[in-house]
Amino acid sequence: MKPRKRVFIAGLFHETHTFLDGLTCWSDFAVRRGADLLAARGDSSPMGGALDAAEKFGWEVVPGLTAGASPGATVSDDVFHRYWSEFSAALSQAEQQAPLDAVFLVLHGAMTCQSILDVEGTLLQRLAEQLRERPIPVFGVYDLHANFSQRMADHAHCLVAYRQNPHEDARESSVRAATHLDRTLRTGELPRMLLAQPPVMWPPTGTGTATDPMKSLELLARQLEHDHPEFREVNVTAGFSFADTPDTGVSFSVATTGTDAVARGALDQLCQLALEMAEVGNVIERPVDEVLAALPRDVPGVLAIVEPSDNIGGGAPGDCTGLLRAMLAHGFRNSAVCLWDPAAVQVLQSHAPGDHVQLALGGRGSRLDPGPLSLDVELIRLCDGHFSLVDRQSHLASMAGDRFNMGNCAIVRHQGITILLTSCRTPPMDLGQWRHVGLEPADFSFVGIKAAVAHRRAWDTITRGNVWVSTPGPCSSDLTQLPYRRIRRPIYPLDPLPEPRRSTP
Ligand SMILES: [Zn+2]
């Protein structure tokens, strides 16, 4: 019997919004090691996918550690130092026990520390240095919102991006990456990565894969894979624009066993298409008052009113008050919003359903918000926030697996608006969030959603449509308003697009 391949598996997952106040610290990260990491097997996360694939391929999994936190502010340098020292020690120990055959990583790709702007590139470079005596394949999976760097391309053999936003395919992409690794372990063919970064970035609202530009770019990428069997994977990486780093923005990469020239030709085609469609991806919302004033109120069904400036999945606090204020000002009824407000939930613990309580709601998480909104609310009920995902392929599963904890919750009402208050920030990506607390979102006429596009897989199944509104908040889609200093220039939309290249006669 052939010996089983020993594969070291680890993960590092954070989408860093560098324009937010504060720091993300080690205590914000959920860290899993050893048997606890292996317990992700079978769940809906990309780590679950990697572990299931490992079992299918008969690998001996050597668990390193995985550390992940919700999208948020710049990560403390200390987090990376702790992570790397533990990662490096676990890798050495594994190598001493018996030689490893490969490393497989589950990454986000848009993590930024105070002084380490390219965290994943740094991790991969250090990993390559540690493996220098006896190089082995380094494969992995990453989020389509990564800010992919040259260092990442230089120090990995094959990294695979999710292809869908909302991320329905996070687990599936991880299995695909593991399948590429299995092929390499069987054949010895080792791909390498080539990268291109066109001078373009898009706000998250412009990165949905059901529409252009991502739709056409994905189609072209799959066509290129079809035309070039030597391409293991062609990645379309939308980037995460709320990060001030030199690598922020759209990028394309190819993992290939063929020539550089052919891969470069493919990357040029993708860059050209991205430039042609750059303006299509720069999706900017209209002011909330303008949109709400024009909305008819008597249409059957529920409409999603989407507020990207407070996009929790993009790192915003989820407690901005702009949309709630506008709903009240425009006299909305039979409507619902969710706010992150642990202090209000705490105050309500000593009250009974039916009590009227004066609360200062939300408005503490971003200095761009006008501040807490003082309201007299009726407490409907208190509830526990642990819920199982209704849809195990929802975008939330790519971040959290099968279950999510909103912390203690309270449902309050003010003038026809139902407000779900949570103790933990909860990206609105799975309907279990509402159904678990006894509210059927389809029964409302309007629901406020703090997201950009990631909510759509869940919400499009019950809504009659989406309207996007502009409110004050840190994830506003108008990127020209953000104080970038370190990003590469020129880059659209901060700078004009380059003149169209002339085709040679
Ligand atoms: Zn993402």
Side-chain angles (χ1 to χ4, degrees):
M1 199 178 117
K2 277 192 289 185
R4 299 167 78 200
K5 299 293 185 187
R6 268 168 68 79
V7 180
F8 182 86
I9 297 187
L12 183 61
F13 203 89
H14 192 253
E15 185 176 78
T16 308
H17 189 317
T18 68
F19 298 105
L20 294 175
D21 302 331
L23 274 182
T24 301
C25 302
W26 184 246
S27 57
D28 296 316
F29 279 77
V31 182
R32 302 177 81 171
R33 315 168 166 88
D36 186 31
L37 189 160
L38 295 176
R41 180 176 296 151
D43 83 9
S44 318
S45 66
M47 182 58 81
L51 294 171
D52 283 353
E55 187 166 285
K56 178 177 140 197
F57 297 132
W59 300 344
E60 178 192 346
V61 172
V62 183
L65 79 160
T66 174
S70 296
T74 299
V75 180
S76 154
D77 278 350
D78 166 65
V79 169
F80 182 71
H81 296 319
R82 282 187 190 218
Y83 178 85
W84 171 253
S85 65
E86 202 175 318
F87 181 107
S88 169
L91 186 72
S92 302
Q93 196 188 5
E95 271 281 53
Q96 277 160 20
Q97 283 161 354
L100 289 167
D101 294 293
V103 173
F104 188 93
L105 299 173
V106 176
L107 301 173
H108 184 284
M111 178 161 160
T112 302
C113 290
Q114 293 159 291
S115 66
I116 308 162
L117 302 186
D118 173 16
V119 169
E120 291 83 359
T122 306
L123 171 66
L124 287 160
Q125 185 172 23
R126 290 192 186 185
L127 173 61
E129 281 160 14
Q130 184 162 338
L131 297 171
R132 193 167 37 208
E133 299 290 302
R134 208 183 63 79
I136 51 177
V138 175
F139 280 54
V141 63
Y142 69 95
D143 189 292
L144 155 165
H145 294 108
N147 290 322
F148 205 101
S149 68
Q150 187 59 51
R151 270 205 287 188
M152 291 170 72
D154 289 346
H155 298 291
H157 298 101
C158 179
L159 299 176
V160 166
Y162 309 161
R163 295 174 174 180
Q164 293 182 49
N165 181 26
H167 303 328
E168 297 166 23
D169 66 328
R171 185 179 193 289
E172 178 187 315
S173 297
S174 187
V175 171
R176 197 168 64 249
T179 306
H180 289 316
L181 175 56
D182 182 63
R183 179 171 157 192
T184 286
L185 291 173
R186 285 186 290 103
T187 64
E189 283 175 12
L190 195 57
R192 66 193 185 291
M193 297 198 77
L194 285 88
L195 171 73
Q197 297 172 318
V200 174
M201 65 174 167
W202 291 314
T205 39
T207 64
T209 49
T211 53
D212 275 340
M214 289 298 285
K215 186 178 177 185
S216 292
L217 289 166
E218 274 294 331
L219 278 173
L220 176 55
R222 289 331 121 217
Q223 185 62 44
L224 289 164
E225 280 178 354
H226 178 263
D227 295 345
H228 299 282
E230 73 273 29
F231 291 175
R232 291 283 191 91
E233 190 81 15
V234 178
N235 294 310
V236 176
T237 309
F240 183 62
S241 47
F242 301 134
D244 187 16
T245 80
D247 297 303
T248 297
V250 177
S251 68
F252 304 101
S253 59
V254 177
T256 181
T257 53
T259 65
D260 282 10
V262 172
R264 285 275 159 230
L267 291 170
D268 280 350
Q269 283 186 55
L270 288 159
C271 288
Q272 188 59 38
L273 186 56
L275 287 170
E276 284 165 18
M277 291 193 302
E279 286 162 323
V280 180
N282 193 31
V283 179
I284 299 174
E285 298 74 51
R286 287 159 55 214
V288 65
D289 281 316
E290 193 181 307
V291 175
L292 264 51
L295 276 182
R297 309 292 171 85
D298 47 4
V299 183
V302 56
L303 185 74
I305 304 180
V306 187
E307 191 186 18
S309 66
D310 198 16
N311 173 8
I312 300 170
D319 80 337
C320 291
T321 58
L323 178 56
L324 176 57
R325 285 173 194 274
M327 282 177 157
L328 291 167
H330 291 268
F332 274 54
R333 293 284 186 275
N334 193 35
S335 302
V337 297
C338 178
L339 280 185
W340 168 61
D341 195 331
V345 174
Q346 185 60 36
V347 167
L348 291 164
Q349 296 302 309
S350 56
H351 287 273
D355 283 3
H356 280 260
V357 187
Q358 188 72 32
L359 290 175
L361 289 177
R364 295 178 185 86
S366 167
R367 65 190 135 127
L368 300 173
D369 192 82
L373 175 62
S374 187
L375 285 185
D376 176 67
V377 301
E378 180 193 351
L379 176 61
I380 306 302
R381 66 178 162 274
L382 300 168
C383 21
D384 158 68
H386 282 89
F387 69 93
S388 294
L389 268 54
V390 168
D391 172 7
R392 293 191 171 184
Q393 267 181 289
S394 72
H395 197 99
L396 197 53
S398 74
M399 304 163 72
D402 294 346
R403 294 180 59 74
F404 196 88
N405 183 11
M406 302 187 277
N408 285 335
C409 295
I411 299 167
V412 299
R413 199 171 286 152
H414 176 88
Q415 289 183 1
I417 299 189
T418 300
I419 306 168
L420 169 58
L421 298 168
T422 68
S423 296
C424 302
R425 296 157 63 214
T426 307
M429 298 165 183
D430 189 277
L431 299 175
Q433 177 183 7
W434 293 83
R435 291 184 178 150
H436 170 77
V437 298
L439 296 172
E440 174 47 56
D443 291 344
F444 294 103
S445 302
F446 301 96
V447 177
I449 307 264
K450 294 175 180 296
V453 286
H455 64 287
R456 292 194 63 175
R457 176 178 164 102
W459 286 86
D460 283 3
T461 60
I462 60 160
T463 59
R464 61 184 171 88
N466 294 270
V467 292
W468 281 265
V469 297
S470 167
T471 52
C475 292
S476 166
S477 297
D478 186 356
L479 302 179
T480 62
Q481 302 301 311
L482 291 170
Y484 292 95
R485 288 186 297 114
R486 298 185 287 216
I487 197 167
R488 66 182 184 276
R489 302 294 288 264
I491 192 163
Y492 175 84
L494 308 186
D495 302 298
L497 285 163
E499 292 291 313
R501 280 184 237 172
R502 268 170 231 277
S503 50
T504 37

